[in-house]
Amino acid sequence: DTAVSQTPKYLVTQMGNDKSIKCEQNLGHDTMYWYKQDSKKFLKIMFSYNNKELIINETVPNRFSPKSPDKAHLNLHINSLELGDSAVYFCASSQAQTGETYEQYFGPGTRLTVT
Amino acid sequence: QKEVEQDPGPLSVPEGAIVSLNCTYSNSAFQYFMWYRQYSRKGPELLMYTYSSGNKEDGRFTAQVDKSSKYISLFIRDSQPSDSATYLCAMSWVGGADGLTFGKGTHLIIQP
């Protein structure tokens, strides 16, 4: 009964490749997010999606594109991978639209290594 | 000045001690405050969530928010070796489905 799941758990690829990370939540939440955790463990928001609409996009290169086929899924596509993209990427979800709660629940993370 | 400041530690205490973890922030618009626990190579796990100023208790954990000082704390009573992890404070403001702003995390070690 995993709440927020991500695949794959580990991803090793070469510079210049294109890759995708998948995220699914079964919490019935209406908003999903992608965060990046760098080598110093600092977590930073990348995107959030609410009802298939992009809400925020924090100075992320346009090589990164989130895609949400439905409310329960938010996938992250990365084109032309660079060494600096190596990090752990976390998906999260929350029931934020009502404004009553901002608790976010995180997935287990995808460790991306670009060689 | 970073938006959220948190001492990275490591903070090492003996088992059974009371642990105090803290964050300061600069943006007075923050209204929602959270504490997450992250074990090595795992995702952040939500521990405590508070809105505005005040205290909230859940078992051995107490979260405290002082908006006038822009200071939040997490207290852990009767600390256990299983509490050893990185503790991240996070916060957000009212107005919609925003992402969280995190501190850099404090690495806590509970010595048996």
Side-chain angles (χ1 to χ4, degrees):
Chain A
D1 58 342
T2 304
V4 183
S5 59
Q6 294 178 230
T7 54
K9 192 171 182 181
Y10 298 97
L11 184 54
V12 181
T13 188
Q14 291 184 328
M15 284 174 54
N17 284 349
D18 302 337
K19 290 294 178 185
S20 295
I21 305 172
K22 294 185 177 182
C23 177
E24 177 181 0
Q25 56 96 2
N26 63 6
L27 296 166
H29 288 164
D30 59 13
T31 306
M32 296 181 71
Y33 311 81
W34 279 104
Y35 288 82
K36 179 180 180 181
Q37 188 169 45
D38 60 25
S39 58
K40 295 183 179 179
K41 308 295 185 186
F42 185 51
L43 261 172
K44 190 170 183 182
I45 183 72
M46 298 177 71
F47 303 103
S48 78
Y49 251 76
N50 185 323
N51 289 334
K52 300 187 180 182
E53 185 179 353
L54 180 66
I55 295 178
I56 58 174
N57 182 339
E58 294 280 323
T59 61
V60 173
N62 57 15
R63 297 182 295 104
F64 290 78
S65 56
K67 287 185 171 51
S68 180
D70 55 57
K71 210 167 82 163
H73 297 83
L74 182 64
N75 303 325
L76 182 64
H77 298 272
I78 316 171
N79 296 325
S80 304
L81 277 155
E82 300 177 357
L83 292 176
D85 298 332
S86 296
V88 183
Y89 292 84
F90 287 99
C91 177
S93 73
S94 75
Q95 189 66 24
Q97 189 178 22
T98 62
E100 294 177 355
T101 179
Y102 286 76
E103 298 141 303
Q104 291 187 17
Y105 297 90
F106 284 75
T110 295
R111 185 171 295 270
L112 171 65
T113 303
V114 182
T115 62
Chain B
Q1 182 184 9
K2 292 186 175 60
E3 277 202 291
V4 181
E5 299 274 5
Q6 186 176 8
D7 186 338
L11 174 62
S12 184
V13 301
E15 183 176 355
I18 296 175
V19 175
S20 173
L21 303 165
N22 311 293
C23 286
T24 59
Y25 61 95
S26 57
N27 191 338
S28 58
F30 286 133
Q31 295 283 345
Y32 298 89
F33 304 92
M34 279 144 270
W35 285 95
Y36 286 85
R37 176 174 63 195
Q38 187 175 23
Y39 292 113
S40 181
R41 294 185 171 257
K42 299 289 185 184
E45 173 193 3
L46 181 64
L47 282 177
M48 299 289 285
Y49 162 79
T50 53
Y51 169 69
S52 198
S53 285
N55 291 2
K56 183 175 182 179
E57 189 174 320
D58 185 0
R60 296 185 296 113
F61 299 93
T62 299
Q64 202 170 74
V65 174
D66 182 351
K67 290 192 67 186
S68 62
S69 302
K70 297 191 181 68
Y71 188 88
I72 67 170
S73 301
L74 178 71
F75 298 95
I76 307 174
R77 291 182 297 281
D78 187 25
S79 55
Q80 305 294 313
S82 58
D83 294 328
S84 298
T86 296
Y87 288 79
L88 300 151
C89 64
M91 44 199 81
S92 70
W93 46 76
V94 178
D98 252 319
L100 298 174
T101 301
F102 278 87
K104 288 200 170 185
T106 298
H107 183 207
L108 174 66
I109 301 167
I110 307 297
Q111 302 164 339

